[in-house]
Amino acid sequence: MSNKHEERATMIAAGDLQEFVPFGRDYCRHHPNALNLQLRELQPASELWSSDGAAGLVGSFQEVTIHEKQKESWQLRKGVSDVGEVDYDEELYVAGNVVIWSKGSKSQASTVYKAFTVDSPVLQALWCDFTIPQEKCGKDDSNNEMVEKCICILQSSCINVHSIEGKDFVAALPFQVANVWPTKYGLLFERSSSSHEVPPSPPREPLPTMFSMLHPLDEITPLICKSGGRLCHVNNSITIWILKFSQQVGTPQHLATSSSLTAHLRSLSKGESPVASPFQNYSSIHSQSRSGSSPSVHSRSPSISNMAALSRSHSPALGVQSFSGVQRFNFSSNTQSPKRQNISHSPNNTSNDSFIVPETESIVPELCIDHLWTETIMNVRYEKNSQASKVFITTDLCGQKFLCFLVDSQLQLRCVKFQESNDKSQLIFGSVTSIQAKDAAPVEGIDTLLVLEGSGNLVLYTGVVRVGKVFIPGLPAPSLTMSNQMPRPSTPLDSVSTPSKPLNKHLAPLDEGVLLSPVPELRDSSKLHESSYIDDCTFQQLGTFIHSVRDPVHNRVTLELSNNTTVRIAIPEIATSELVKRCLQGIKSILPKEIAVQMLVKWYNAYNAPGGPSYHSEWNLFVTCLMNMMGYNTDRLAWTRNDWEYLLNSDYHRNFESHPLAGALGLDPLEISTLKEDFLHSLSLDSSTLLFSHIPAIFFVLHLIYEELKLNSLMGEGIRSLVFLLVQLARDLELEAYIDYYYRDYPALVKTSRQACIIEQVQTGFMHHPSFFSAEPPSIFQWLSSCLRGEGVQPYPYLPGICERSKLVVLVCTTRKASAVPVAGSQEAASGSVKSHTSVSNLAEKLVIWMTNVGFTLRDLESLPFGVALPIRDAIYRCREQPASDWPEAVCLLIGRQDLSKQAHEGNLPKSKSVMLSSDVPSGAEAEEEDDGMNDMNQEVMSLIWSEDLRVQEVRRLLQSAHPVRVNVVQMPEVSDHEYIEEKENRLLQLCQRTMALPVGRGMFTLFSYHPIPTEPLPIPKLNLTGRAPPRNTTVDLNSGNIDVPPNMACWASFHNGVAAGLKIAPTSQIDSAWIVYNKPKNADLANEYAGFLMALGLNGHLTKLATLNIHDYLTKGHEMTSIGLLLGVSAAKLGTMDMAITRLLSIHIPALLPPTSTELDVPHNVQVAAVIGIGLVYQGTAHRHTAEVLLAEIGRPPGPEMEYCTDRESYSLASGLALGMVCLGHGSNLIGMSDLNVPEQLYQYMVGGHRRFQAGMHRERHKSPSYQIKEGDTINVDVTCPGATLALAMIYLKTNNRSIADWLRAPDTMYLLDFVKPEFLLLRALARCLILWDDILPDSKWVDSNVPQIIRENSISRQATELPSSEDLNLETLAQARVYIIAGACLSLGFRFAGSENIAAFNCLVRDFSLPLPSPHHPFPTGHYNLETCLSVVLLSLAMVMAGSGNLKVLQLCRFMHKKTGGEMNYGFHLAHHMALGLLFLGGGRYSLSTSDSSIAALLCALYPHFPVHSTDNRYHLQALRHLYVLAAEPRLLVPVDVDTNTPCYALLEVTFKGTQWYEETTEEMMAPTLLPELHLLKQIRVKGPRYWELLIDLSKGMHHLKSILSKDGVLYVKLRAGQLSYKEDPKGWRSLLAQTVTHRNSEARAFKPEAISAFTSDPALLSFADYFCKPTVNMEQKQEILDLFSSILYECVTQENPEMLPTYIAIDQAVRRLERREMSETFELFQIRLVLEFFNSRSHQDKMGRNPSRGLFMNSEFLPVMKCTVDNTLDQWVQAGGDVSLRSYLSGQPAEECQSSMLACFLVYYAVATPGQLAAGGLEGSTSFSELLLKFRQLKMPVRTLLRLAPLLLGNPESMVW
């Protein structure tokens, strides 16, 4: 019977019995694929789908087991949620070809997360995380690895991997896989060894069995084994391996150094995998060491990460009987030793099996395994067939780890304890413990494991300690008579209970166990069966028993019952109340591990006994349990007695009985059965109990937990409960100091007379007093108080992991004092210390950053008591004023700067996810109009930048090319109708020259302004070349045949139109190869636009995503435009990378880069030009010798035989020169290894002409035969080679200030020489010379004129028409042309020098020059219209470059003026130039500007080359496609302040500080944002200035990365309005918020502050509601008016001082003081907090800060605190005068005080920090006679003077001597 009693005593009630059906099974029925499955499977399986409802469920389940047609399996894991700790299960269900991943929990129904259907039956499905190392980061951080969470589906021939991001991979398997396991690194595969594999002959190695795959895109590589010597093969033993990365070398010697990375273990469903296969785990190529074990199912335990493969070795898969297979293990002694690894293997060493790679490409193993431990075998015969079927790792309640493996054949669970060695380098394994078990599963949630005994009992163990039986309500317990008979392994378990046993016997143990009969339970809680319990028992072999346990998740586990149903139960938690958890954790950490486990097991049994929690609350149960273990007899302890008696004894009851109402109602007083006093005092403790000797340690730990809980204002209830226990223990341990301490905290709870238990002297000897136990109670508040007063403090003890808040607060205070204080751990005596922070000025910042690093958030701050929180709030308040802009998001949240936290948050997002400012969706009317390609501009920002006028609409009007133009021709009387039509069409042809030039400018205007929708093609606006003639609006068309229209006139215009459309796409958009191909037009007419679109994608960087295959497709089509666009686009996308693939692609199109013998390809000339520029782009700045050599020769490429190289030679030569310049960009004379090429001299010769040099190199064969078309002879044709050579020199010597080269480029200064140079080339020379002498360029007219040679200056303007030239030789026309071209060249160089700078001097200078060359009547010899237009266009472009992105009105007027000139000689090229200028002026809608970096200048030289095409198909001098390369020079520089509250752009004042340069000192400019910033390298810092917005500093001296990332994401800079301020839009001059200003300066009007006015100061809804509910007077408010006024002024002060978080503190202080006045203080916490607040403001460090910055700070300009202090002082003084002095005197003399006075006495003691009577006595205060003597003694006790003033009269004994 006693045995039964013991059984019953340790029973644990399991909760939540639920029938379990895998969700996937039900879902499969309705899955669209289910029908196909039914057809495919045999018929009976289909009944599975039809059976529904609970009645047929059991039958259908049995059917599943009978017909194995539809194999199903499933596994569960704990749900991983991003948002907080949500506890749910994830299920992966496999049936046939379908895999279903679902999620669900008790509270939420299961839902399908993903379902996969594959082509062949699924063998296995599992979760696996692959790590992708981020090499790009280049940092050595451990966290620069991205984890891809994936699901892997194994089929017979391949494995599918699907990541949750949506990536899909399919990896083919080179062999049949027997099993797969997920590890930390990736997947492990076990190859299934087929039985017909021939055992290898002795010299050959057997094939590897284990393989790994680190990522779905990686090779499957063999695993190798690292071990000291050879691994002997022990049969039938458990072996553990650790998985590590192998070095790339792959030989065992090198592996010894491999880093010991470790791998997680995962769990699979039990034993379903074929485990009998040899684990020959080495590559036949790389390593000879091997092991003979195969991994069995892995456990999944996040806590241990050191095991990855764990296995039971046994004979090979050929079957137990065929031991001949062992020869495959090669036990022969002649096996090579690992030392001979480096000898190259002979071919016969590799196997000829199909999947081994030939020796040429050996597979390098990536992972190796290292042997850790092998089970020692006691009895070989007995262990013959003992293969482990299940393995897992479990942790016991004290954190010790055990490895458990279940040996089915022995019905044993074997557990091995293991732990890390001290240096963490290895694992130490203990001995094996066996537990009788049929099945087992770990319960991770509560650190236990569930064991199914052979008798069918479920037993809970923690580690190897038995906790108790699990009683499952609803399932009958197995018969107790059977429990001792362990069935033999051969016995079929079904025969445990047979129908012949009578039913009542089966139920008997339940009744004896005084448990409820399971019948109603079964019916109510888990509706397992419809039929009655009795019937079930009879027909189903008398009830069910548990067959196996599976799928443990957290604390839930599935039981498979013998009748094929499955139920899921939950094992109860160890504790639910926060308080009990903390106490258990603390006590556990202090006790030795064995005792701790016993203590926890006892508590667990008490807490989870069947019958649910008893009437005790959890805490009472815990106290009772704990005190029993300490040796108390709790039945006789008064306060743990019956609750009713306790209530009757309580103060509350006494007060109530004396209440007049009780008398009035005539309630009878209740009799209390009082116990006799003498009986009470004779209680003693039993010293033999478990925890008796540890009472002091436990007491001290509980005290520390009590101190910890004080720091959480939400745990007040728990503190009160804990005090009872602490007081009892302190009394019994006779710790007077502690009792006094608790009395001061809780005067009402701690009574003077209390029941004490006597601990005899002898027993005290048994007690273990730990070293950390202190006689003085450690008090966190007292410690803080001493800190603030600047006294020396002792280290504060804390429990690691439990007293985290205490630790935090201590560290915060030590940090604020800038001194490190060691914190002694009570567990480890070692004192860890905080790093001392040196720079005191930044203390607050360091503190705040450190707090976020330890995970401290605003919510934690709110739950700290207000006095403790105040120093932290003060630090936060100080940081809020001027934070750094690059602080992490968490810090910004903590200091309450939403603007910064939002900025940081978006800075962390990848570029593609950047938050776009909402661009206005076009209104309905506009949407119906034809799209002009400019609808997607961000109107909101543009309307802020240009708010005064409609210039943006004007630009749209000028640049739109989608609407017909207006053809206004007046019909003269003499003109016939037919001629009139021709006249109109001729006029339209002139206008079309302009229309065709518009798209280039439109591309600039809409640059990067649009994010395409991936499902829709990019809208490309139509290029409309028709016209409308007024007054009837008749259409005029060029295709009528009345006039001759040039063929292919619009092909380049279409190309530009495509580029303009493509350039709208922002670089941050998400675009892939498929979308690019998807945009390809079906209509061949649109091919040119698509070609332009491809080029645009290259310029904005998206073309790198286009698959090589598609590039090949496009190029083979042979469409000229497509090739040009593609080659330029790809090269621009790979700028300066020397990418080999692109180089090959380009070389095919450049004959000079092909070998001399190669086939001559017929490459169109323009494509060659594009390819040459492409080479320049790809090799930009690399000074690559071979490329430079070829390009240098190509500048002077002579014309060849037939017609090759004869037409448009100029553009090819120019392209070669530009490309050469790019390759050697800015290298100047430092061209390493090119001195023999004589680059500058050769270029000079190309520029000025001379005898052609003999061409060396591989191409001389090509140029032997001369051209039949062009006779050039042996001289260089300067007209062809000069432009390219000039610009090449300019780019090579860019910004080098090399005078000697610059002098070559000086304009000739004699008439004779001037005649030899084309005026156009003078422009290029002037430009090239200025670019080389970069630093000499000055923005004034004098400098511009200084470029003009003297001869021209003297003979140009000042001549009157009558005056003749001084010399007959002068050709004035030549001089005039030379002059305008040289000035144009100088202006263009000004444009380059000041590009994007908006430099006023340069602007004025250029505007003056623009008006100079305009023809005037005084010019005797006009320069010629064409030359004049060219120069005007160049100056206009220069102006636009300087003012790029600024939308300057003057330049816009000039552009508009040029736009209107359409007649005469205004050809296509000039229109192109004017509209490019207009586009540059509004670059990217004002968001972009030009850069002056070397690379940008090279791109701009290509784009703005000052020779413009004559007509729309003219590419003779310059390829039109290059006009778009300006994109490479554009950079985002617009900073847009966005109000963080409204999320709309706004104005804000910026203060921009420039670094000092040789031209100016360091200066500061104010700008009103949104504004274009100057180039970033010129800036030192940018500050958002107050007073309207919170200040914000972006310091560029620390690096520009932060600002660049802001600018690249649309330049959004979040700003936050300060309280009471209005935005600049609402209040431009700042007058309207003056009202707010007057109130802010604390006038007398503060009282008259209206709650309605608060909305001007804050948008916080909580504060607005507070104003509504607490500050607005309502009816009948006489007595509360004062409180309303107080609340109003508090709210007002908080809001205007911008620290609304202080509102609760103000109110708490006010409430506490009111309570004190009413004498209702039952606990003294709040008073202590008020004392801390006062001490903080009086502390020295605070006074120092106030001295430095008197105006800012918490509570600063407030009379609130002094008033409160005064009120407290007065109240306590009145109490002393009204009789409190008697209580005080008796307290100081150690006598018990009157109970009615105890609360106020405690308040007095706490507030004035009076020392304990013991300390006072020790200080010898009693005998003092004079005040001065007292003063000296007080100094030693460290009591404040104000306390002395109060106590002196009492201590001196004559109150008269002191005036109160």
Side-chain angles (χ1 to χ4, degrees), residues 134-145:
Q134 300 291 91
E135 290 95 351
K136 296 169 202 158
C137 303
K139 295 175 192 156
D140 300 329
D141 305 353
S142 55
N143 57 0
N144 61 356
E145 289 192 337

Side-chain angles (χ1 to χ4, degrees), residues 534-554:
I534 304 293
D535 288 353
D536 270 2
C537 283
T538 337
F539 292 119
Q540 296 189 3
Q541 300 196 344
L542 271 174
T544 50
F545 55 87
I546 301 164
H547 197 274
S548 62
V549 232
R550 62 173 290 174
D551 299 331
V553 176
H554 194 56

